[in-house]
Structure formats: C-alpha cells, structure tokens
C-alpha cells in the first residue's frame, strides 16, 4: 500500500513538472509528513490537485478557443466569402482532445448549422469516430477554411478553396492546433494536406503514411466525401487501416472486431 502510494506521488510530481510552468516544490510541512510516513494522505491530496490542474487547463483552452472563435466570427479578410456565407464554421469538440480531424471547408449544411461535418460526409465521419471507440465529443473537428467557398448562382455542390483563401484562413487553424495540442492529427483529403503542409500530390501517394505538423504526428487519409462517391470495399478498408494506425499511435486498445471492420 505504501509503495503504491509512493509511486503515485512520484508520478504526480512528474506530471506537474511536465504540465506546469513551475517546478514542483515541497514545503517543510510536506517534508515532515513524508518523513512521518504519511505517503497515502499526500498522494490523495496530490491526485486532487492534479485533477484541479487538468480542469484549469481545460477551461483555459476553452477560453482561448472562444477568443479565436470570436475573431473568426467577424472576419472579413476574404470579402467575397464574408458576403456569401451564412455564418462562419469554427470547429467543435473537446479542447483537450488527443485526436483532431481536419477537413477542407464547410459545405451547405455546415454553413447553415455553423458546425463542421454535419452533412452526409460528416455522418460518415461520425460513424468512423464511433468505430474507433471515441464519441464525437471526445475529438476535435475543424476545417482549413472557416467559410463556405462561394459558388456561382444556380450552381450545385461545393468548390474547393483556392490557395489564396487557404493561406488567408490558415492562421486561425494554426491557433486552434496550438491551443488544443492534440497527440495525433488526421488530414481528410488532399485539400487539407495542402492547407496544412503545403504539399500537393495524389491521395494514393500521400495516404496511409505518417507525416508531422509542428512535431505532431499527422496521418493522411481520404475525405469521407470520397467514400460516398466511391463505394468500393477496398477504398473503405484503406481508410479504416489508416485509422487503425492512428489508434496504435494513440496506444488505444484494438479489438479483433475493430481489426476486421470495414467503414
């Protein structure tokens, strides 16, 4: 019991050192309690303190994201998009997410609802997230562009963002990533790859391999909209194999059912 409590104290001190901007310090009173053998009591107190530290960190991230969201809400840097949009589409999910998905730009459904990936492609992405044993609320989802690209009157569907639009909007996404600090990023489609890494190439060449963005592991896979257009089992399986790599990188348990799953 004492050894386990001591291990917990050591782990807590290491966590504080990693997550706080100040090194952990011990008062004379704490040292006296350690000498008296009150390791269990100290471990319980430190665990409670760590919980408070994590809550404070989460709240701080949420506040920082809210400030960026407000700047995005009133952004008019791309005047043609500011005139045509219904609203901006900032991002949604857990500010403390280990996993962050990045798409290209809002579509018509997202423009109406103000949330990324809520249309048919978004519903497929949600199924993929659930198959990974995450809830949608556990991860964070955002796009390269925060406005729906404008389309010509009478036209249907969505157009891809231009390089200039991506370059203009990119700093907002960079702020989101810097605040959230996910353990793994997933880029959905070639446009997201170009917006994040400045790389162009076919998805056949890019997907399924690890890249990095600011030292964060980045997995590239197909956009869910591609799977809606291409219903072949082989393409769906490729996406799931990419997600299995993500789960392994996150050190999440993978069941036999998950290994045999098809999107």
């Amino acid at each position: 019991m004492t050894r386990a409590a001591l291990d917990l104290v050591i782990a807590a001190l290491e966590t504080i050192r990693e997550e706080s901007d100040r090194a952990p310090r011990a008062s004379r009173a704490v040292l006296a309690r350690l000498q008296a053998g009150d390791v269990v009591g100290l471990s319980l107190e430190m665990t409670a303190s760590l919980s408070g530290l994590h809550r404070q960190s989460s709240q701080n991230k949420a506040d920082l994201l809210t400030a960026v969201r407000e700047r995005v809400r009133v952004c008019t840097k791309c005047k043609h998009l500011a005139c045509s949009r219904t609203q901006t589409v900032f991002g949604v999910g857990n500010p403390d997410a280990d996993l962050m998905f990045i798409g290209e730009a809002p579509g018509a459904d997202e423009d109406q609802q103000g949330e990324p990936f809520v249309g048919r492609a978004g519903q497929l992405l949600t199924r993929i997230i659930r198959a990974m044993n995450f809830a949608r609320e556990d991860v964070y989802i955002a796009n390269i562009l925060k406005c729906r690209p404008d389309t010509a009157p009478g036209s249907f569907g969505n157009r891809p963002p231009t390089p200039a639009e991506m370059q203009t909007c990119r700093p907002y996404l960079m702020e989101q990533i810097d605040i959230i600090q996910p353990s793994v990023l997933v880029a959905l489609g070639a446009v997201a790859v170009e917006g994040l890494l400045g790389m162009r190439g076919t998805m056949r060449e890019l997907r399924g391999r690890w890249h990095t963005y600011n030292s964060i592991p980045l997995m590239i896979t197909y956009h869910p909209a591609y799977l809606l257009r291409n219903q072949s089992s082989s393409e769906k399986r490729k996406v799931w194999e990419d997600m299995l790599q993500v789960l392994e990188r996150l050190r999440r348990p993978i069941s036999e059912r998950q290994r045999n799953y098809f999107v």
Side-chain angles (χ1 to χ4, degrees):
M1 177 69 169
T2 303
R3 179 63 196 177
L6 183 59
D7 289 342
L8 186 58
V9 169
I10 293 171
L13 287 170
E14 289 176 348
T15 303
I16 292 172
R17 182 175 60 188
E18 291 172 0
E19 299 188 7
S20 176
D21 56 359
R22 294 182 300 176
R25 298 179 180 179
S27 66
R28 285 193 177 91
V30 168
L31 291 174
R33 290 178 64 184
L34 281 172
Q35 290 172 345
D38 187 16
V39 181
V40 174
L42 278 171
S43 67
L44 293 173
E45 289 180 16
M46 293 183 73
T47 301
S49 297
L50 274 175
S51 177
L53 177 65
H54 285 300
R55 285 196 298 271
Q56 183 180 14
S57 173
S58 300
Q59 186 58 50
N60 186 48
K61 286 183 177 183
D63 291 343
L64 291 171
L65 286 171
T66 297
V68 181
R69 181 192 293 269
E70 184 57 27
R71 298 202 330 266
V72 168
R73 187 183 68 81
V74 297
C75 180
T76 57
K77 292 178 181 178
C78 301
K79 297 194 180 300
H80 59 297
L81 300 185
C83 291
S84 63
R85 73 191 181 207
T86 301
Q87 59 189 314
T88 56
V89 181
F90 180 68
V92 66
N94 181 4
D96 269 334
D98 286 327
L99 178 57
M100 183 172 179
F101 291 90
I102 298 171
E104 56 180 64
D109 293 319
E110 290 76 17
D111 177 69
Q112 288 293 324
Q113 297 186 41
E115 182 174 326
F117 283 93
V118 293
R120 289 181 62 224
Q123 292 165 16
L124 178 54
L125 177 61
T126 299
R127 291 206 301 273
I128 293 171
I129 291 169
R130 288 174 180 164
M132 297 172 75
N133 280 340
F134 286 102
R136 185 177 165 105
E137 297 76 20
D138 295 332
V139 304
Y140 198 91
I141 306 172
N143 283 314
I144 299 292
L145 241 62
K146 308 306 184 193
C147 297
R148 185 192 181 198
D150 57 338
T151 54
S155 63
F156 296 94
N158 302 308
R159 70 162 176 84
T162 66
E165 290 167 345
M166 289 193 286
Q167 188 64 28
T168 301
C169 205
R170 189 173 184 268
Y172 293 131
L173 178 62
M174 304 305 100
E175 286 190 77
Q176 287 174 290
I177 295 172
D178 288 344
I179 292 168
I180 296 166
Q181 283 296 302
S183 300
V184 172
L185 291 165
V186 175
L188 300 168
V191 173
V193 175
E194 183 180 354
L196 273 172
L197 302 179
M199 294 171 49
R200 288 191 178 186
T202 66
M203 287 301 295
R204 191 180 303 107
E205 299 167 333
L206 296 172
R207 63 146 290 272
R209 294 188 293 112
W210 286 105
H211 304 258
T212 58
Y213 168 81
N214 280 6
S215 300
I216 301 174
L218 169 66
M219 174 56 67
I220 297 171
T221 196
Y222 289 113
H223 194 286
Y226 169 78
L227 297 182
L228 294 176
R229 297 190 301 270
N230 189 331
Q231 295 285 331
S232 73
S233 297
S234 62
E235 297 304 277
K236 293 178 179 180
R237 180 61 193 180
K238 288 175 184 176
V239 171
W240 186 243
E241 287 173 353
D242 298 340
M243 296 304 99
L244 288 176
Q245 288 196 63
V246 169
L247 289 174
E248 288 173 352
R249 181 59 66 97
L250 290 171
R251 298 181 179 178
R252 302 274 294 199
I254 301 174
S255 67
E256 195 62 30
R257 180 179 180 183
Q258 284 176 304
R259 291 200 181 277
N260 297 321
Y261 181 76
F262 276 79
V263 173

